[in-house]
Amino acid sequence: MTHGPIRLTPGAHARLRPATEARITGGFWAARRHTNATVSIPQGPRKLESAGNLGNLRAAAGLADTDFTGDFPFQDSDVHKWLEAASWQLADTPDAELAGAVDRLIGLLAAAQEPDGYLQTHYQVKHPGRRWQDLRSGHELYCAGHLIQAAIAHHRATGRTALLEVALRFAAHIGETFGPGRAVDAVCGHPEIETALVELYRETGERRWLDLAAYFVDLRGHGSLEPGFERDGEPVTGGAYWQDEVPVRAARTVTGHAVRQLYLLAGAADLATETGEAELREALERLWSAMVSGKTYLTGGVGARYEGEAFGDAYELPPDRAYAETCAAIASVQFGWRMALLTGESRYSDLIERTLYNGFLSGVGLDGEHWLYVNPLQVREEYEFRAGDQSARRTPWFRCACCPPNVMRLLASLPHYMASGDDTGLQLHQYAAGRYAAGGGAVTVAGDYPWDGRIVITVDEAPAGPWTLALRVPPWAAAVGLDEGTVERPADGWLRLRRTWAPGERVELRLPLEVRVTGADPRVDAVRGTVALERGPLVYCLEQTDLPPGVRLDALALDPEWVPLAEHRPGLLGGVTVLTARGRVREAAGGEAGWPYGVVDGAAGDPVGDPVELTAVPYHAWANRADGAMRVWLPRARGGTG
Amino acid sequence: MTHGPIRLTPGAHARLRPATEARITGGFWAARRHTNATVSIPQGPRKLESAGNLGNLRAAAGLADTDFTGDFPFQDSDVHKWLEAASWQLADTPDAELAGAVDRLIGLLAAAQEPDGYLQTHYQVKHPGRRWQDLRSGHELYCAGHLIQAAIAHHRATGRTALLEVALRFAAHIGETFGPGRAVDAVCGHPEIETALVELYRETGERRWLDLAAYFVDLRGHGSLEPGFERDGEPVTGGAYWQDEVPVRAARTVTGHAVRQLYLLAGAADLATETGEAELREALERLWSAMVSGKTYLTGGVGARYEGEAFGDAYELPPDRAYAETCAAIASVQFGWRMALLTGESRYSDLIERTLYNGFLSGVGLDGEHWLYVNPLQVREEYEFRAGDQSARRTPWFRCACCPPNVMRLLASLPHYMASGDDTGLQLHQYAAGRYAAGGGAVTVAGDYPWDGRIVITVDEAPAGPWTLALRVPPWAAAVGLDEGTVERPADGWLRLRRTWAPGERVELRLPLEVRVTGADPRVDAVRGTVALERGPLVYCLEQTDLPPGVRLDALALDPEWVPLAEHRPGLLGGVTVLTARGRVREAAGGEAGWPYGVVDGAAGDPVGDPVELTAVPYHAWANRADGAMRVWLPRARGGTG
C-alpha cells in the first residue's frame, strides 16, 4: 500500500512519518494476511447478509420492507469496518470480485443515506424520529466514524470517491448538528468519530474537520453525558464507561470501557500530532505509561473487567477473567502507532509487537473464520462451557460482531505499521518480511521471524550521502547480533546505522530468541507464584489437549530445575515453534470435606509427583483444536516469585 | 422469640427442629443486635420514605398523585423486608413505637393492594396493565415472596393477622394466575416465592401453598424464561441468571446469580423437608458441597463475579473483585440452616458460623447505618474510589437497597439459628450467650465467644432420664476442652453429652483460639503464595490505616518466621481482639519502563526490608475508619503455598 490509515499533513508535528510504500511479501504475517484475504474478507458480505446488516441497509433504502435486525444500534459499523478492510486489501492486491462486492455495498450505503446526510439504520428503520437522542448508547457518531474511516481507506486504495462522498455528506450533517449553540452540544458515548475526523481533515485538507474533532475531544469529561449508568444496582463506571468522567488532559490513568478509552486516545493523539499541543501530548504519554505499567496483560491485551468491558485498577489483571477484548488490542495498536509517530520513541512499537503477536492475533482462528471476542490467559478444567459462550471457545460470528471486521481491517492494513521515515532515514519498527519505502530510501526485509531471530535487511534505495537505517531492538534483547559482530541494545531501543549506503547493501540482524521464564511484579497478585514462558515476541501457553492422558493441567507445576527448549513443528498449528518443559503433578489438595482452605502446609500441595513432559504452544494459536483448559501463567514447584 | 422464620409441620422429614424458644442475651451478637434494634431498624421508615418506597405505596393506594420513584421494579421488597425485620424485633422485645410504625406500613400496604389481591407498585403506578408480562426482570413473585415472609413474621411475632391477610390475598391471586393451563405457566426471574410459599403452608396448614411452591421449583430449568440475556454482546449467564438453565434436581453445581440461586435452593430445601423427597435432598447436598468446595470465599462470602452478580467457575475466587454480595451471604445462611435441620449434619452450621462472623457481618457498619453491598477480600492502594462507589466504601443506603433490610431481618431473627432439638435432646449450633429451649429441655449459654473460647452451658431444664446435649465442634478445633478434660473433635462434629441432667448442671466447653495461618488449595489461583490469618471463627485483614506512616500495604509480605499473637483491644472498633504480626517491606519491583513483567528473579521482589509490626483486625470490622487499602490474603516472604 502507498498510503495507509494515517497520512500526516505536511505541517504535522510528528517525529516520524508513515512509510510511503509498504508491502508484506512473506513469512509469518504474509501467511496470516493470506488467510485474511482469501477466507475472512471474502466471507464478509455473506456474514453481514445473514446477520441482517445488509437487510437493515436495504430497509433504510426503501428496497425492502423488513424490520431492523440485530441486538445493537451499531450494526452498520460492521459493514463500515468490513469496507475498510476490503479497501486496504484492494490497496494491497487488485481483486475484481472483491472490488465488485465493495461497490455493491457502497451503493447500498448511498441508497440508505437520508437526503440530509444522516445514515444509521437503527434510527432510520427501528426508531425513526429518535436520532441524536440517546448519545450514551446510540453509537451514531461511532458508526459515522467507522464510515469515514472506510471512505478514506477506499479513496486511498482506489482513488475513487463514491464512498467518500457518502461520508462527507454525513460529516457535513454532523458538523451542522453538533457544537456550542447547535442542536446538540455533547459527545458520543462511544468515541471513534474523533480519530476519523482528524483523518478526514488530512484527506480533504478541510480545517473544519480538525476543529470538529477538537471540539469532541475537548468536550469529554465535562458531563455532556451525565453519569449514573447502573447494572444490578451497581454503578458500572458512571461517566468512565462513556469516557465522560474526566477531561483527557486531566486524566491520570486509563479507565472505563477499554475500547472507548483507546479509540478516544487515538483520536486525541491524532489531534496533538496535527496541532502540536504539548499539554495534550503529555497527557497521552502519561496515560499510555499508566496503561503499560499496571493495566496491560503479558499478551498486550487490555481491559481486565467483564463488568463494563473496562480497565481494572492498576495491577488488577486476573488471567482467568481477563476480558482483553480483541477490539481493545486493536485499539491499543492504533493508539500506540500514533504515539510512535508523534514521539519517535521505540517503546510504543515494543508494545505493538507484543500485542500483534499475542493478544491481537489470538482473536482470529488459524482458519480465518472462527473468532474470540475475549482473550483470557487461563481457562480452568472447571470452566463451565455454555451455549453462546464467547469467552473460551472460538465462534463463527458474534451478535455483537465488532471484533471480526476489526481484525480484518488491521490485518489488511498491517504493512502500514511496520516502518516509518524521517529526515535522517528509515525506521524499521517490525520485522515482517517485505519491502518498505520511507525517509527517502527503501529496504527489503527477509527472514523467518519470529520463529528465527535472523533478519536480513537489504537497502534497495538510499539517497547519496549519509542515511540512517534505524532498527528497533526489543527490550527483551539485551544484545543483538549485527553482521559479524554483537552490539548492546541502545538505551532508546533504536539501533541506528548511519552511513552512505550502496544500493543492494545488506545488514544482518540477529535477535536473541532464548526462551525466557518471566515473572510478574508482585503487585499483580493474580499471578503470584507463577511464571510464563516467552520466546522473542511470543507468549506461550499450555493447553489440556497437549497433555498426556490423565494428567490435569490444573494439577501441574513447572519444574524450576529444568530449562525449556524450543523446537519447530512444521505440522502443528500451521507450523509453530513449541517450547518443551518439564512439570510435576501436585498431590491432591484441599481441606476437610472439600473446604479449600486449611493450615498452610496442609494446603500447600507442593508438586511431588513424577515428571511430565510439557509442550507449550504460542498463545495466539490457542483454542484452535479442542475446548479445554489453558494457562499462560504456570505455578512453579517450591513456591514462586513473590 | 418462640417461633422464627422456620416452623416445621409435625410431619416434616427433618432430622432436627428449630428451638421453641431462643433469646440472645449478651456478648458479641447481643451488641450487634442492640445496634440493629436501636439504630438500623428505627431508621427504616425514614430511609424508605426518602428513597420513595412509601411514596410508591401511597401512589398505588391513591393517597398521592406521584410518579413511581426508584430505579428498580422491586422497590416494594425493601418495605417487606423491613417489616419482617421489625416483626422479628418485636418478637424479641416489645416496642410500642416500632409496633406503631409497623402498623402504619401494614395499613399502607393494605390500602395499596388491588381488589384482586395484586400488589406491586412498579406495575400499579408506573406500568399499569403490564403485570406478569416481564417475568425475567419484573420481580413480581419475588416481591410477593418477601411480602409473605413479612406477613408470617408479623403473625408469629404478634399473633395478629392484618399483614397475613394482605399476603394471603396476593397469594390467592398468584395461585389463580400461575400454573399449567392458567394465564401464566412460568417462573419468576428472581426466586424467593418458593421458600415463602412453603412457609405459608406451614403457617396456614393449607396444602395448596406447598403444591404451588413445588410447581415453581419443578418448573425451573425448563425454559419457561428462555435465555439470551445479553450485555455488551456477551451472554451473561443465559438462563442461569434467572435460575432457569437446568432443573434443580439435575444441577451439578451452583451457578448464575448467587442470591437467586441460593434463595431457590432454600425454597427447594423447604420443599424436600416437607415432602421427604430423596432425589431433591441429594441434589441439594450435592449443590451445597459444590458451593463449599470451590465457590466460597474464606469469609463465607459467595458470588465471585460482578458480571451477573454470579457464582464463578469452581476455584475462580478473586479477592479483589470478589462480589460476595451481602444478600448472598444471607441467602447462604438461609439455605444452610434448612439443610442443617433437614440432615442434622454439623457442616452446615460450620459454614453458617463462618459466614455470620465474616462475609455477612461485614455488610453492616459498626454504627448500624453504613452498609456494604459487595464484600471484597482485597482493596488495592490503586483502587479508584469513585462517587457512587459501593465496592470498597460504606454507604448510607443504596439505590438497589436489597441488602440493608436483609441484614436487619437476619440480625433480628438470629436467635432462631443458634440451636435445635430432636427426640434425643438439644443441639447447640452456635455459641451466642443466651437461652435456648428445644428437644424437651432448655439451656443457658454464657461466655465471651468469639473473643474468648471458654463457653459455659447451664442445663436449666431437662426431662427425667437420659437426655443429650449436643455441642457443635468447629472443624478448626482438633480437640476441645471439656470441664476438667480434653476431648478430640468427633468425626461428625457433634460432641454429644448424653446423661441424666440435674437442672442447673453446668458444662464448660473450651474452644481452642490459637491463631491459624491459613493457605488455600492451589487451584484457587488468585491467592497462590499468600496466607490468611484466622482465630476461631474470625477471618482477619490488614487495613492501610493501621500501618506506620509511609508503609504501603501492597509492598508488605508476612514474615513466616514470626508467629502472630492475639491481643484484645477494648477501645478499638467497639472492642476487638487484634492479631499482631510481623511484615517485611518488599523492594521496589517492576521491569524496565514500568513494564510489570520481567525475568523471574528480577521481578521476584522478595521482601528484604526492615521488619514492620502489623495489626490485623477482624474482617467484619473493615472499612469502618477510613477509605484505603485492605487485604485478607497476605504474601509471605520467600514464596508461598504453591
Side-chain angles (χ1 to χ4, degrees), chain A residues 28-29 32 299 353-367 370-372 375-377 394 449-451 533 535 537-543 568 572-578 616-625 630 632:
Chain A
F28 181 91
W29 286 114
R32 291 314 195 105
T299 57
E353 178 176 45
R354 176 176 292 275
T355 306
L356 286 174
Y357 276 109
N358 301 288
F360 158 69
L361 192 55
S362 60
V364 55
L366 291 169
D367 60 8
H370 289 83
W371 310 87
L372 284 176
N375 297 275
L377 281 73
R394 297 187 181 278
Y449 186 74
W451 309 128
L533 301 179
R535 180 175 181 265
L538 299 177
V539 175
Y540 280 73
C541 68
L542 292 182
E543 286 192 279
H568 197 69
L572 179 66
L573 293 164
V576 297
T577 296
V578 301
V617 299
Y619 171 78
H620 68 245
W622 83 283
N624 277 286
R625 292 171 291 175
M630 178 276 291
V632 167

Side-chain angles (χ1 to χ4, degrees), chain A residues 538-609:
Chain A
L538 299 177
V539 175
Y540 280 73
C541 68
L542 292 182
E543 286 192 279
Q544 181 68 49
T545 186
D546 292 312
L547 292 178
V551 175
R552 295 167 37 248
L553 178 55
D554 291 340
L556 282 174
L558 215 54
D559 184 337
E561 308 305 315
W562 208 76
V563 180
L565 300 176
E567 174 188 327
H568 197 69
R569 300 240 179 112
L572 179 66
L573 293 164
V576 297
T577 296
V578 301
L579 306 184
T580 57
R582 175 169 293 162
R584 291 185 179 274
V585 179
R586 195 162 44 212
E587 63 195 350
E592 80 288 327
W595 180 243
Y597 310 102
V599 289
V600 162
D601 297 335
D606 212 23
V608 296

Side-chain angles (χ1 to χ4, degrees), chain A residues 230 245 295 386 399 604 641, chain B residues 230 245 386 399 604 641:
Chain A
E230 285 214 356
E245 188 181 52
K295 299 192 178 189
R386 288 200 155 77
R399 277 193 284 188
T641 64
Chain B
E230 287 214 356
E245 187 179 52
R386 290 201 153 76
R399 278 195 284 187
T641 64

Side-chain angles (χ1 to χ4, degrees), chain A residues 92-230:
Chain A
D92 189 86
T93 311
D95 178 332
E97 191 175 334
L98 181 59
V102 166
D103 289 344
R104 280 190 295 279
L105 263 59
I106 291 173
L108 199 50
L109 285 169
Q113 186 168 39
E114 300 286 332
D116 66 1
Y118 183 88
L119 175 54
Q120 185 172 350
T121 60
H122 178 75
Y123 288 103
Q124 293 173 276
V125 177
K126 189 173 184 178
H127 297 303
R130 280 166 53 179
R131 63 164 82 164
W132 308 131
Q133 288 176 25
D134 181 13
L135 290 172
R136 288 180 178 179
S137 309
H139 288 78
E140 289 159 286
L141 295 179
Y142 166 83
C143 289
H146 280 303
L147 174 64
I148 291 166
Q149 289 182 325
I152 291 167
H154 185 250
H155 186 235
R156 289 177 184 172
T158 66
R160 300 185 28 234
T161 59
L163 188 56
L164 187 60
E165 286 159 11
V166 173
L168 283 166
R169 279 195 294 270
F170 199 1
H173 173 68
I174 292 165
E176 293 153 9
T177 305
F178 282 80
R182 293 213 174 79
V184 189
D185 187 12
V187 297
C188 179
H190 199 314
E192 163 64 21
I193 188 77
E194 298 84 357
T195 186
L197 284 170
V198 175
E199 207 59 39
L200 190 60
Y201 158 69
R202 291 165 172 165
E203 189 67 4
T204 64
E206 292 184 62
R207 173 86 194 185
R208 58 173 170 158
W209 307 129
L210 183 67
D211 296 339
L212 189 55
Y215 159 75
F216 285 128
V217 169
D218 296 349
L219 190 56
R220 293 271 164 198
H222 294 287
S224 72
L225 307 170
E226 78 274 19
F229 187 53
E230 285 214 356

